[in-house]
Each structure stands twice: as C-alpha cells, then as structure tokens.
Amino acid sequence: RVHVTESGGASVQPGGSLRLSCVASGHIYSSYCLGWFREAPGKEREAVAAIDRDGTPSYRDSVKGRFSISQDNAKNALYLQMNSLKPEDTATYYCAADSWICGMQRKYNDYIPIADWGQGTQVTVSS
C-alpha cells in the first residue's frame, strides 16, 4: 500500500500562485507513475496532471499552460506549481501513485480506479 501526504494548499486570490507538495511512502513499485487529482464540492474527482515513467508530464486541458508538475525521485516527492489560479481551480487536491496513472494523457476523462488516497490539501481561489 502507498501512503501519501499532501501539503501546500491555501486560500488565494484569482491570478495567484501556489505550490503543492506530496511525499509518498510504502510500496512504491517501479511500475508506478505519480499524479495529481482534485475534487471540487459536488463534482467527481478528476485527474489534473501526471508524470509518466520516462518523465513526460501531461495535463488536463483546463490547466495547460498554468500548472506544472515535477518530481524528486530521491525524496519520493511530487510537486504541482499552480499559476494564474482561477476560482474554478478551487478543490481538494490529492496525489497518488499507481500504475494506472502511466499513460495518463489518454485518460483524463476516464473513471479513476485508484483506491489509496491521502487526506488531500485544500485550495481555495476567491476574491
């Protein structure tokens, strides 16, 4: 089982920036990829960004050009730099490590079959 701890969420004004962090521990297999997800009130959880095994990042269309995902393999850490934040980015953000996340560029609208989630970190974008 993979344990993840997210941090860095806060309340910001539209146009602001935040950097989310995630540290993963436990059974992280070499077949796993890492990704960020979010869940807004009344909406289903959706994938936001992911890094494939070769280091290639991918993003859902609504965050392209504004969000940037990165990882530090030595620390089992994953980051999400979020710029030009919009009110519609308001959500609880989660990271996850799972083999399903690999090849995410084709799955951003798919059902998310991941069972292990952390507590998430809240991002609120409001004026």
Side-chain angles (χ1 to χ4, degrees):
R1 180 171 181 155
V2 178
H3 299 274
V4 295
T5 302
E6 305 94 341
S7 62
S11 294
V12 297
Q13 293 187 339
S17 297
L18 283 175
R19 184 178 189 240
L20 305 184
S21 299
C22 167
V23 177
S25 62
H27 295 100
I28 305 171
Y29 299 104
S30 59
S31 61
Y32 281 10
C33 295
L34 299 174
W36 284 98
F37 300 77
R38 67 186 180 188
E39 185 171 333
K43 296 187 177 181
E44 293 187 352
R45 191 165 301 187
E46 62 182 17
V48 176
I51 291 185
D52 220 327
R53 283 194 290 269
D54 63 359
T56 302
S58 67
Y59 305 90
R60 73 178 304 109
D61 288 344
S62 60
V63 307
K64 284 180 180 177
R66 300 188 297 122
F67 289 13
S68 178
I69 189 172
S70 61
Q71 67 181 20
D72 183 334
N73 291 329
K75 298 179 180 179
N76 278 342
L78 185 70
Y79 307 99
L80 185 68
Q81 178 65 43
M82 306 188 294
N83 300 325
S84 302
L85 282 162
K86 304 176 179 180
E88 50 264 42
D89 295 318
T90 295
T92 302
Y93 283 71
Y94 303 86
C95 73
D98 194 279
S99 58
W100 179 82
I101 297 173
C102 302
M104 178 62 77
Q105 57 267 37
R106 300 181 297 275
K107 305 176 186 176
Y108 276 96
N109 293 321
D110 290 357
Y111 167 75
I112 303 171
I114 296 173
D116 292 337
W117 298 99
Q119 293 193 340
T121 187
Q122 178 66 37
V123 172
T124 303
V125 185
S126 173
S127 55

